[in-house]
mmCIF file with all atom_site columns, all heavy atoms in Angstrom:
data_model
loop_
_atom_site.group_PDB
_atom_site.id
_atom_site.type_symbol
_atom_site.label_atom_id
_atom_site.label_alt_id
_atom_site.label_comp_id
_atom_site.label_asym_id
_atom_site.label_entity_id
_atom_site.label_seq_id
_atom_site.pdbx_PDB_ins_code
_atom_site.Cartn_x
_atom_site.Cartn_y
_atom_site.Cartn_z
_atom_site.occupancy
_atom_site.B_iso_or_equiv
_atom_site.pdbx_formal_charge
_atom_site.auth_seq_id
_atom_site.auth_comp_id
_atom_site.auth_asym_id
_atom_site.auth_atom_id
_atom_site.pdbx_PDB_model_num
ATOM 1  N N   . VAL A 1 266 ? -10.479 39.914 -2.369 1.00 85.00 ? 266 VAL A N   1
ATOM 2  C CA  . VAL A 1 266 ? -10.547 41.333 -2.074 1.00 85.00 ? 266 VAL A CA  1
ATOM 3  C C   . VAL A 1 266 ? -10.320 41.534 -0.579 1.00 85.00 ? 266 VAL A C   1
ATOM 4  O O   . VAL A 1 266 ? -11.024 40.928 0.235  1.00 85.00 ? 266 VAL A O   1
ATOM 5  C CB  . VAL A 1 266 ? -11.915 41.924 -2.482 1.00 85.00 ? 266 VAL A CB  1
ATOM 6  C CG1 . VAL A 1 266 ? -11.967 43.417 -2.174 1.00 85.00 ? 266 VAL A CG1 1
ATOM 7  C CG2 . VAL A 1 266 ? -12.179 41.657 -3.958 1.00 85.00 ? 266 VAL A CG2 1
ATOM 8  N N   . PRO A 1 267 ? -9.354  42.361 -0.188 1.00 79.00 ? 267 PRO A N   1
ATOM 9  C CA  . PRO A 1 267 ? -9.081  42.553 1.238  1.00 79.00 ? 267 PRO A CA  1
ATOM 10 C C   . PRO A 1 267 ? -10.301 43.097 1.979  1.00 79.00 ? 267 PRO A C   1
ATOM 11 O O   . PRO A 1 267 ? -11.134 43.808 1.405  1.00 79.00 ? 267 PRO A O   1
ATOM 12 C CB  . PRO A 1 267 ? -7.936  43.580 1.245  1.00 79.00 ? 267 PRO A CB  1
ATOM 13 C CG  . PRO A 1 267 ? -7.319  43.479 -0.106 1.00 79.00 ? 267 PRO A CG  1
ATOM 14 C CD  . PRO A 1 267 ? -8.429  43.117 -1.042 1.00 79.00 ? 267 PRO A CD  1
ATOM 15 N N   . SER A 1 268 ? -10.378 42.746 3.251  1.00 72.00 ? 268 SER A N   1
ATOM 16 C CA  . SER A 1 268 ? -11.481 43.240 4.085  1.00 72.00 ? 268 SER A CA  1
ATOM 17 C C   . SER A 1 268 ? -11.381 44.747 4.256  1.00 72.00 ? 268 SER A C   1
ATOM 18 O O   . SER A 1 268 ? -10.296 45.334 4.240  1.00 72.00 ? 268 SER A O   1
ATOM 19 C CB  . SER A 1 268 ? -11.430 42.562 5.459  1.00 72.00 ? 268 SER A CB  1
ATOM 20 O OG  . SER A 1 268 ? -11.559 41.170 5.339  1.00 72.00 ? 268 SER A OG  1
ATOM 21 N N   . ARG A 1 269 ? -12.533 45.387 4.425  1.00 70.00 ? 269 ARG A N   1
ATOM 22 C CA  . ARG A 1 269 ? -12.585 46.807 4.709  1.00 70.00 ? 269 ARG A CA  1
ATOM 23 C C   . ARG A 1 269 ? -13.053 47.014 6.146  1.00 70.00 ? 269 ARG A C   1
ATOM 24 O O   . ARG A 1 269 ? -13.779 46.191 6.694  1.00 70.00 ? 269 ARG A O   1
ATOM 25 C CB  . ARG A 1 269 ? -13.547 47.517 3.738  1.00 70.00 ? 269 ARG A CB  1
ATOM 26 C CG  . ARG A 1 269 ? -13.071 47.496 2.293  1.00 70.00 ? 269 ARG A CG  1
ATOM 27 C CD  . ARG A 1 269 ? -13.969 48.387 1.451  1.00 70.00 ? 269 ARG A CD  1
ATOM 28 N NE  . ARG A 1 269 ? -13.485 48.470 0.073  1.00 70.00 ? 269 ARG A NE  1
ATOM 29 C CZ  . ARG A 1 269 ? -13.895 47.672 -0.906 1.00 70.00 ? 269 ARG A CZ  1
ATOM 30 N NH1 . ARG A 1 269 ? -14.785 46.735 -0.658 1.00 70.00 ? 269 ARG A NH1 1
ATOM 31 N NH2 . ARG A 1 269 ? -13.420 47.810 -2.129 1.00 70.00 ? 269 ARG A NH2 1
ATOM 32 N N   . TYR A 1 270 ? -12.675 48.130 6.726  1.00 72.00 ? 270 TYR A N   1
ATOM 33 C CA  . TYR A 1 270 ? -13.039 48.421 8.111  1.00 72.00 ? 270 TYR A CA  1
ATOM 34 C C   . TYR A 1 270 ? -13.651 49.828 8.192  1.00 72.00 ? 270 TYR A C   1
ATOM 35 O O   . TYR A 1 270 ? -13.313 50.716 7.402  1.00 72.00 ? 270 TYR A O   1
ATOM 36 C CB  . TYR A 1 270 ? -11.799 48.368 9.028  1.00 72.00 ? 270 TYR A CB  1
ATOM 37 C CG  . TYR A 1 270 ? -11.141 47.009 9.066  1.00 72.00 ? 270 TYR A CG  1
ATOM 38 C CD1 . TYR A 1 270 ? -10.182 46.660 8.128  1.00 72.00 ? 270 TYR A CD1 1
ATOM 39 C CD2 . TYR A 1 270 ? -11.502 46.073 10.028 1.00 72.00 ? 270 TYR A CD2 1
ATOM 40 C CE1 . TYR A 1 270 ? -9.591  45.418 8.136  1.00 72.00 ? 270 TYR A CE1 1
ATOM 41 C CE2 . TYR A 1 270 ? -10.916 44.816 10.049 1.00 72.00 ? 270 TYR A CE2 1
ATOM 42 C CZ  . TYR A 1 270 ? -9.956  44.485 9.111  1.00 72.00 ? 270 TYR A CZ  1
ATOM 43 O OH  . TYR A 1 270 ? -9.368  43.255 9.138  1.00 72.00 ? 270 TYR A OH  1
ATOM 44 N N   . ARG A 1 271 ? -14.557 50.020 9.165  1.00 75.00 ? 271 ARG A N   1
ATOM 45 C CA  . ARG A 1 271 ? -15.125 51.334 9.418  1.00 75.00 ? 271 ARG A CA  1
ATOM 46 C C   . ARG A 1 271 ? -15.539 51.416 10.877 1.00 75.00 ? 271 ARG A C   1
ATOM 47 O O   . ARG A 1 271 ? -15.733 50.389 11.537 1.00 75.00 ? 271 ARG A O   1
ATOM 48 C CB  . ARG A 1 271 ? -16.326 51.592 8.507  1.00 75.00 ? 271 ARG A CB  1
ATOM 49 C CG  . ARG A 1 271 ? -17.520 50.695 8.795  1.00 75.00 ? 271 ARG A CG  1
ATOM 50 C CD  . ARG A 1 271 ? -18.663 51.015 7.868  1.00 75.00 ? 271 ARG A CD  1
ATOM 51 N NE  . ARG A 1 271 ? -19.823 50.178 8.169  1.00 75.00 ? 271 ARG A NE  1
ATOM 52 C CZ  . ARG A 1 271 ? -20.962 50.239 7.467  1.00 75.00 ? 271 ARG A CZ  1
ATOM 53 N NH1 . ARG A 1 271 ? -21.090 51.066 6.447  1.00 75.00 ? 271 ARG A NH1 1
ATOM 54 N NH2 . ARG A 1 271 ? -21.981 49.446 7.815  1.00 75.00 ? 271 ARG A NH2 1
#
Side-chain angles (χ1 to χ4, degrees):
V266 180
S268 300
R269 294 188 176 93
Y270 298 87
R271 67 179 182 182

